[in-house]
Amino acid sequence: MSRKVVKFGGTSLSCAAQIKKAGGIIKEEEGRQYVVVSAPGKRWDGDIKVTDLLYRAYDLAQAGRPYEEMMQQICGRYREIVTGLGLSEAFWKEWIQEFEAVCVHLEKENAQEYIVSRGEYLNGKIVAQYLGFAFVDAAKIICFDKNGEFLHEKTRERLKAVLKDRKFVVVPGFYGADDAGAVHTFSRGGSDITGSLVAEAVQADIYENWTDVSGFLVADPRVVENPKLIRILTYRELRELAYMGAVVMHEEAVLPLHKTGIPIQIKNTNAPGGEGTMIVGNTCQESEFTITGIAGKKGFAAVTIEKDRMNSEIGFGRKVLEVFQNHGISFEHVPSGIDTMTVFVKQEALEEKKEKILFEIYEATGADSVEVETGLSLLAVVGRGMKEHRGTAGKIFTALAHADVNVKMIDQGSSELNIIIGVADEEFERAVRAVYGMFVAV
Ligand code: ADP
Ligand code: ASP
Ligand code: MG
C-alpha cells in the first residue's frame, strides 16, 4: 500500500457537498492517511473565499469600522458546512466557542496572520471530525522565527517527531507559529507548501494535490479555452511556471521535495478518475510539445538607464541594483545593451518610491537618462525540451508578430529552460493565446 499525503484546496472544500466528495476520495484508499486542508474557497464564480473574508474583516476592525456582519457571513458559511455534513450539535457548540475566541483578536494589532490562518484552522477541525481523523494544529509543527521567516530544518524535525507513528490526521495548511506561539502564514496559496512538508516528513510515496482543474495545463484556463493537460512536469519547470503565475501550485511547494524526489500528483476533486499531472524531480520522458507550458503575470515596470560607454564602466550594474536593494525591491530581469540597462520590477513595489529611486540611480551612476515604463506583463514560455529544438525563439516571435503583439523585452534563461517575454498589459492575453496556438493547438 502506498502512503499518501493528500491536500485539498479551497474549492475542493468550499461547501458540505465538496467536503463529502473529498471524504469519498480519502476513504477510497487506505493509503490516504495525511490530509492537509485549505479554508473554504469559492463555491461559484464571483463567490468570496473565506480567507479573503477574513482579510477584509481584519482590515475593517483595524480601521475602526464595523466588522460583525463580515464575521457573521464567515460563521454562516461554516454553519452550512457543519449542518450539511450532519455533524453533531455538541461539535458545533465547541466549534462556535473557538470561533468566538477568534473574534476577540480582530481589534488587536499585528494579528492579521493569526486571523487569516483561522480559515484553515476552523476548517481543519470540521474535516477531522467528519472523517474521524485526529486534528494536528499546524502551529505545533510548522516553524517560523519571530520575524516570520520559515524554518525548514526545525519544521522537518518537529514534523517527524509529531507525526512519527501517527496516521489518519488532518493538518490545516497555510500557517505555522514561532517559539512564542505567534502565528505566521506562508504567502497566498501556501497550503500547497504545508502539503509538501508533511509529505517530506512522513516520507510519503506520493503527494496528491486535489484542486478544481484536471491537472497542470499548458496555459491558464482563464486565458486559453480548454488548454491541453501537461502529463509530466519537472520540479524546475513547475517552479518557473508557478512563479510566473500558474497558481495551480505554489512555486515553493517543490522545495521540500527536491532531495526526496517524492512525486506530486495534481488531481481534480470534481473528476477524480482523470490521470492528472505528475510532477517529478527528473524525467527522461519528452514533453508532448516543444514547450511544456506558458504562464505570465501583469503589473511590471521597466526602469531603463542610459549612459554612454556604460559597457566599459566596471560596477555599473551593481550600483543600479544596489539602489533597488536598499529599497527592499527585488528585480525580475535585467536585459542590457552596450549603453543601456533595463531593470524589470513589480510595478506596485516601485510606485510609492519611484521618484526617490530614480534620483538615487542618477546620483549613483551619473546616468544620461533614466526612464520608467509601466503597465507591462511578463510571459514565460517554459520547457525542458526547448534546448533540443532549434528555432523555438523564432517561432515565438513569428506567433507574436502575427498576433500583432509588440515585444518589449526578451530574456532567455541560461538553463535554456525558459524564454521570458515582456509585452504591454493590454496585449498579454493575445500573446499567450498566440504562443499556445503556435506550439500546441496545431
Ligand atoms: P486550490 O484552491 O485548489 O489550491 P487554486 O485556485 O490555488 O486551487 O489553483 C487552481 C486554479 O489555478 C485553477 O482553477 C486555474 O484557474 C488556475 N490556473 C492558472 N494557471 C493554470 C494552469 N497552467 N493549469 C491549471 N490551472 C491553472
Ligand atoms: N487559504 C489560503 C489562500 O487563500 C491558502 C491556500 O488556499 O492555499 O491563499
Ligand atoms: Mg492553491
Side-chain angles (χ1 to χ4, degrees), residues 153-228:
E153 287 294 315
K154 194 167 174 179
T155 299
R156 190 188 291 129
E157 294 315 310
R158 187 75 67 78
L159 267 168
K160 277 190 185 154
V162 173
L163 295 182
K164 192 168 145 267
D165 306 325
R166 290 190 82 170
K167 44 190 179 176
F168 305 117
V169 297
V170 171
V171 177
F174 190 40
Y175 72 93
D178 62 28
D179 279 346
V183 164
H184 300 277
T185 58
F186 291 117
S187 55
R188 295 300 304 267
S191 301
D192 294 333
I193 307 173
T194 313
S196 288
L197 291 166
V198 175
E200 179 197 25
V202 303
Q203 289 292 298
D205 294 298
I206 189 163
Y207 164 29
E208 288 180 349
N209 191 292
W210 291 84
T211 182
D212 61 349
V213 277
S214 289
F216 215 112
L217 307 170
V218 175
D220 189 332
R222 294 163 297 184
V223 178
V224 170
E225 203 182 318
N226 206 9
K228 291 235 160 74

Side-chain angles (χ1 to χ4, degrees), residues 11 39 54 57 66 116 130 135 141 148 155 238 240 260 284 305 307 320 348 363 371 392 394 407:
T11 37
L54 287 165
V116 301
Y130 174 64
F135 174 82
I141 48 179
T155 299
L238 169 94
E240 300 279 349
T260 62
C284 50
I305 303 113
K307 189 180 179 195
V320 172
E348 210 183 12
E363 282 252 286
E371 275 167 21
T392 308
V407 175

Side-chain angles (χ1 to χ4, degrees), residues 332-350:
E332 306 285 326
H333 293 279
V334 189
S336 62
I338 305 176
D339 294 328
T340 63
M341 167 177 174
T342 303
V343 185
F344 276 78
V345 293
K346 299 220 169 71
Q347 189 168 321
E348 210 183 12
L350 179 72

Side-chain angles (χ1 to χ4, degrees), residues 7 9-10 38 49 188-192 209 211 247-250:
K7 177 256 169 180
S38 283
K49 289 174 160 199
R188 295 300 304 267
S191 301
D192 294 333
N209 191 292
T211 182
V247 294
V248 61
M249 269 295 268
H250 195 290

